[in-house]
Amino acid sequence: MGLLEEKLVERLLDTSPKYKRDTMEQTIRDLLGASRLEQVTGLPARRGGADGGIDGILDVIHIIQGVPYQKKAALNVKVRNSDFSREQLGGFLLDMDREGIFVGIIITAKFLTPDALIELVRKNVEGYVYLIHIRLTDVLAGKIIAPDILIDGRSLNAVLLERIKIMLV
């Protein structure tokens, strides 16, 4: 990505953990049209906004071999100065499984660790779940490549660009 996008994300990483957790996660939910997961299935009461689970739920169209399927997608947002790990991916997958959700969108400030990337690819090849990873720099640059996921019948990239423009006005 471009230097400007990288610098903007670095500035976000310098903000407080509370800002990243509360404000940034909500902004990303708003951009995607996602809502909070208010009820967690089969677990004791949530431990608050930073329990590391599903950060949002949204309706998507998942295109599988040219056929569109209406599905729920789980959102995991990590605005941290570290890469998204295999362990974090495993926790997200367990949360998705518990909630009966089979599409996952991971948005991070940094990258996936090599192990997490291999596991993400493996899960997608197996076909039981579909996972995509988006860096915040991709969002800012308008360069999201996710042709199999549509929101309101439009590409993820088009939806995010339109909603970012609206937020900036």
Side-chain angles (χ1 to χ4, degrees), residues 4-46:
L4 174 62
E5 292 87 1
E6 291 291 345
K7 291 292 183 189
L8 286 170
V9 170
E10 289 300 321
R11 293 275 315 253
L12 285 174
L13 289 171
D14 288 338
T15 61
S16 72
K18 180 176 176 19
Y19 179 83
K20 287 183 268 199
R21 183 188 65 237
D22 298 341
T23 304
M24 282 307 305
E25 283 183 13
Q26 187 59 50
T27 300
I28 291 169
R29 273 192 295 273
D30 291 344
L31 287 172
L32 290 169
S35 59
R36 286 184 179 271
L37 177 64
E38 298 296 335
Q39 288 290 333
V40 176
T41 305
L43 289 179
R46 291 186 66 128

Side-chain angles (χ1 to χ4, degrees), residues 4 6 10 20 22 28 63 66 75 103 124 155 163 167:
L4 174 62
E6 291 291 345
E10 289 300 321
K20 287 183 268 199
D22 298 341
I28 291 169
I63 300 170
L75 179 64
V103 175
N124 285 344
S155 76
R163 291 180 182 168
M167 287 179 83

Side-chain angles (χ1 to χ4, degrees), residues 2-168:
L3 186 59
L4 174 62
E5 292 87 1
E6 291 291 345
K7 291 292 183 189
L8 286 170
V9 170
E10 289 300 321
R11 293 275 315 253
L12 285 174
L13 289 171
D14 288 338
T15 61
S16 72
K18 180 176 176 19
Y19 179 83
K20 287 183 268 199
R21 183 188 65 237
D22 298 341
T23 304
M24 282 307 305
E25 283 183 13
Q26 187 59 50
T27 300
I28 291 169
R29 273 192 295 273
D30 291 344
L31 287 172
L32 290 169
S35 59
R36 286 184 179 271
L37 177 64
E38 298 296 335
Q39 288 290 333
V40 176
T41 305
L43 289 179
R46 291 186 66 128
R47 297 179 302 270
D51 68 359
I54 295 173
D55 297 317
I57 301 290
L58 63 148
D59 292 318
V60 298
I61 296 171
H62 181 201
I63 300 170
I64 304 171
Q65 296 178 351
V67 179
Y69 295 92
Q70 190 77 29
K71 295 186 178 184
K72 293 272 185 216
L75 179 64
N76 191 301
V77 179
K78 293 290 184 268
V79 184
R80 295 182 182 166
N81 207 4
S82 59
D83 292 342
F84 192 84
S85 71
R86 183 178 64 86
E87 291 79 9
Q88 289 171 316
L89 179 62
F92 184 48
L93 286 165
L94 284 173
D95 290 344
M96 288 173 55
D97 181 59
R98 180 192 67 233
E99 300 299 332
I101 298 172
F102 305 102
V103 175
I105 301 171
I106 301 164
I107 299 180
T108 65
K110 294 294 183 174
F111 297 90
L112 298 176
T113 63
D115 290 350
L117 178 59
I118 287 169
E119 289 299 323
L120 182 142
V121 169
R122 186 176 69 82
K123 288 295 186 185
N124 285 344
V125 167
E126 288 174 352
Y128 182 67
V129 297
Y130 182 72
L131 301 165
I132 60 172
H133 172 244
I134 302 168
R135 289 191 63 223
L136 286 175
T137 54
D138 298 332
V139 174
L140 293 171
K143 297 195 187 275
I144 298 167
I145 301 169
D148 299 331
I149 298 292
L150 303 176
I151 296 176
D152 296 329
R154 299 178 311 158
S155 76
L156 197 53
N157 203 53
V159 169
L160 285 170
L161 283 174
E162 175 187 295
R163 291 180 182 168
I164 286 173
K165 287 177 186 175
I166 290 169
M167 287 179 83
L168 293 175

